[in-house]
Amino acid sequence: MGERGRGCCPPMDLMRSEPMQLVQLIIPIESAHLAVSYLGDLGLIQFKDLNAEKSPFQRTYAIQIKRCGEMARKLRFFRDQMSKAGLPPAARSVTQDTSLDDLEVKLGDLEAELVEINANGEKLQRSYNELAEYKLVLHKAGEFFHSALSSAEAHQREQASNQTGEESLETPLLSEQETAIDSSKQVRLGFITGLVPRDKSMAFERILFRATRGNVFLKQATVDEPVIDPASGEKVEKNVFAVFFSGERAKNKILKICEAFGANRYSFHEDLGKQAQMITEVSGRLSELKTTIDAGLVHRGNLLQTIGEQFEQWNFLVRKEKAIYHTLNMLSIDVTKKCLVAEGWSPVFATKQIQDALHRATQDSNSQVDAIFQVLHTREMPPTYFRTNKFTSAYQEIVDAYGVAKYQEANPGVFTIVTFPFLFAVMFGDWGHGICLLLATSYFIIREKKLSSQKLGDIMDMTFGGRYVIMLMSLFSIYTGLIYNEFFSVPFELFAPSAYVCRDPACRDATTVGLIKARDTYPFGVDPAWHGSRSELPFLNSLKMKMSILLGVAQMNLGIIMSYFNAQFFKNSVNTWFQFIPQMIFLNSLFGYLSVLIIIKWCTGSKADLYHVMIYMFLSPTDELGENQLFAGQKMTQVEQSVDGEILFSPYSILIISDETLVLLLLALVSVPWMLLPKPFILKMQHNRHQGESYAPLPDTEESLQSGANNDSHGHEEFEFSEVFVHQLIHTIEFVLGAVSNTASYLRLWALSLAHSELSTVFYEKVLLLAWGYNNVIILIVGIIIFIFATVGVLLVMETLSAFLHALRLHWVEFQNKFYEGDGYKFYPFTFTLLDNEEE
Amino acid sequence: MGFLVTTLIFVVVGVIACLCARICCNRGPSANLLHLTLIITATVCCWMMWAIVYLSQMNPLIVPILNETE
């Protein structure tokens, strides 16, 4: 980038962004990977994408990125498994250099092993669940048969006893014996046993009944505890059922119905002996399976543990490699010369470091050819880079939130470091609350190191990031609290006795006419006599409103002076003569004059009405002011024309006030066309002069590879006169109207400080003092608790946020629109430190 | 204590703060200039606020009128 003037002042840190240069690196292919890795460690170069037209799949290193993506997927799988098993990954341990290929192989092996263990574990678990169900079926169905058998035996015994007892003439000859013999052959029932989910059991029964036309017998028994279903792995309440049927067709229907209802079937033997055998066998297998499953879990746990130790490191390595390959994809490849060409922005001060890094990469990769580093000249606007430390970075972020500074324009952040906490404090002024804020923020600052490595929530993160801002805010709040003389709204006589005393020893007139100022002015801050008096608000309102105007005019003047520094730096004399000077004249002839009047009124104690003075300055500037005069004229006629003789003579007379007013008004009126008209014409003349030079010197330094697209943006600058004129018109109107509205906007300093002190007074008088008045300990304690909650919730949290927001607005709008353009873009270097904070 | 005397005190405090900053963290001319600017801005802000409040009380147009209960 071309040289810019230094202007009138020596360079100051943070005032202007770092000078940047467009560099071109030509790196041989064999050292490219290492070179990019070292440059990433350095973190001072922002690569431009030279392959923007290519799709991601056409780029050189697409395969490598796919590999990295695969490895990242495997790592995500491991992380899932670890979190399911409840093992958090350990913090990053000492780095061991593993190459990417080794890591790929290792990850593949580990994944295969883990998947296998998982599959086996699932199979075993399923078998275990099935066996558990089988055991239940054996148990419950056994009970059916047992009870049925015992009742059948009882019945048979009854019948037998009946039969043996009755051998009379009435016994039928054949039928009963036949039926008795045949009965054993007629029992040809089949049965099916199994488990059905309880919520489906009613429907199951009904459908079985209907499908077999009532020719089945279903017996169900509930299982007390929920059973783990083998198919789904969840606990379900089930019933054991036994259904008795006869015939093949019935059997098929029942089988199909069981399948439809998800009822698991298990085979069952009638024989008691076999039942007992099955039960023991199943129990044995269950315990075996349990031990196997436990062993499997332990093995898996160990595997996950080993993975967990190295996990963070592998994760970082994979992300780093992916970032390196993404960057390598941005470089353009020159196949014939077997090298890669990189272009990027870097700060001028980093030149040596970059060259060192390239040299080291060449050496480490045993390459024959060294990388080439050269600076390109271009007309593109460089990115903005401020070197901030942990203290100034928060302020810079506040400024950047509104707009990133254009390359090398004056940075409002410099003054924001002091004026932002100061304006906050003007709205917050209470030294008790300031001390509370200071304690809160010193907690953050003292435990800075520990908290910065932890992951805090969103709100805590923001508060922690702004800890230095809040610290300055609280220090200034303590100062302004001492000036407003408010400690949780209570004033103290800290510096000298109050200036006001009763008019007479009996103090009779104190509540009607008031006190009188007998002693010297209270030396530091607001006199404590004002608090709680009836005329407190008129006095404080007048004081705070005038203070807001004075502070506002001062800050706006500072803004206009910053625009002067910008004009000097960019050697733009048009802006100096036709923007800065008329703006200063306009603002100061109106509002600077008002500020001077305020100060003179305070110094002389005159009773002049400043509203009247200012308004009549516009309405009838040539009239005499009568009792609103502030300076005595040199002409005696001014004094003789006075009405009540309430004019106070000032020995420092300057001009007759009506003349003064007229002059200032004329100056203000002249400055408006001065801002509006000359600049567009001068710019047009300058443009015509440039166009007239048909021979421009050829650029003899190298141009960037991408400059072809950007050339016509400068070479054939279109100059639309109407556009420039309208732009200047808008700027002028904005400034002129803004002068009034911005000055009034500063009155929010008054409004918020009034709100804060009133809230504070209410909480103190209506909560604490009220509770104190009852002379009851419990009410006092309740009162204190309410007071603390109200103070913390409303005053310390809500008012802080509110004052923060308004101070921010005053800076962003009223201060910055006097000089700030803020249309730059931020410098995002290629660095690995950001990967730590990334979350996939 | 008088307006001018206290203004002088503010000036002296500002100068002492600048010297302290120069002694404690001397980090090159541009950083020093930044520190100087910050300290001067802070001193001017604080002085302005004090001066405004002091001047407004020097020749008051209204006086405190106490409440009946006091």
Side-chain angles (χ1 to χ4, degrees), chain A residues 49-226:
Chain A
D49 192 356
L50 296 172
N51 293 329
E53 326 78 53
K54 291 198 196 156
S55 80
F57 299 104
Q58 288 171 324
R59 300 199 188 200
T60 335
Y61 292 93
I63 301 177
Q64 311 289 344
I65 293 192
K66 248 196 275 183
R67 274 173 66 194
C68 290
E70 253 309 292
M71 287 198 275
R73 182 197 62 78
K74 288 184 187 141
L75 285 170
R76 273 200 299 273
F77 172 65
F78 292 153
R79 173 173 287 183
D80 275 337
Q81 293 293 314
M82 282 197 288
S83 60
K84 263 195 223 160
L87 288 172
R92 192 140 45 105
S93 51
V94 181
T95 50
Q96 304 159 5
D97 276 327
T98 341
S99 86
L100 197 66
D101 299 320
D102 289 343
L103 186 62
E104 199 177 5
V105 168
K106 205 188 285 193
L107 285 180
D109 288 340
L110 282 172
E111 189 194 18
E113 206 178 327
L114 196 60
V115 166
E116 203 184 315
I117 291 180
N118 279 349
N120 287 345
E122 249 168 71
K123 250 197 301 184
L124 287 172
Q125 193 68 30
R126 202 182 168 127
S127 314
Y128 182 82
N129 289 338
E130 276 178 9
L131 279 177
E133 283 195 342
Y134 192 22
K135 190 170 171 185
L136 276 172
V137 166
L138 287 173
H139 207 65
K140 295 279 176 180
E143 276 175 21
F144 291 164
F145 279 89
H146 188 73
S147 63
L149 206 59
S150 56
S151 68
E153 273 178 0
H155 195 69
Q156 256 188 344
R157 253 184 270 129
E158 224 182 87
Q159 267 201 339
S161 63
N162 279 349
Q163 281 181 346
T164 49
E166 297 254 333
E167 275 186 353
S168 59
L169 286 166
E170 279 144 11
T171 55
L173 288 166
L174 260 160
S175 53
E176 282 172 5
Q177 278 185 348
E178 282 175 11
T179 53
I181 298 170
D182 281 343
S183 64
S184 58
K185 291 184 199 159
Q186 276 176 358
V187 178
R188 242 177 253 123
L189 292 176
F191 63 91
I192 291 181
T193 50
L195 283 164
V196 66
R198 196 170 297 168
D199 43 357
K200 295 188 192 164
S201 60
M202 283 313 304
F204 186 59
E205 205 174 324
R206 231 180 293 137
I207 291 199
L208 271 179
F209 193 79
R210 287 196 199 137
T212 52
R213 303 189 196 190
N215 285 335
V216 293
F217 176 66
L218 175 72
K219 185 132 183 146
Q220 291 195 39
T222 58
V223 175
D224 302 317
E225 294 168 351

Side-chain angles (χ1 to χ4, degrees), chain A residues 27-45:
Chain A
I27 314 174
I29 287 195
E30 54 271 15
S31 52
H33 186 270
L34 261 182
V36 171
S37 176
Y38 289 154
L39 287 176
D41 286 330
L42 193 60
L44 281 174
I45 180 166

Side-chain angles (χ1 to χ4, degrees), chain A residues 112 157 191 204 220 261 355 484 610 675 697 712 724 778 790 823:
Chain A
R157 253 184 270 129
F191 63 91
F204 186 59
Q220 291 195 39
F261 273 83
Q355 285 173 326
Y484 289 152
L610 292 180
M675 265 190 260
D712 50 356
V724 172
I778 299 178
D823 53 0

Side-chain angles (χ1 to χ4, degrees), chain A residues 658-670:
Chain A
S658 66
D659 281 354
E660 175 89 346
T661 314
L662 199 53
V663 166
L664 288 174
L665 190 62
L666 284 175
L667 273 177
L669 284 176
V670 158

Side-chain angles (χ1 to χ4, degrees), chain A residues 235-250:
Chain A
K235 289 204 169 184
V236 184
E237 305 238 321
K238 294 205 177 184
N239 288 351
V240 176
F241 68 90
V243 57
F244 298 90
F245 56 87
S246 62
E248 256 326 289
R249 272 202 291 184

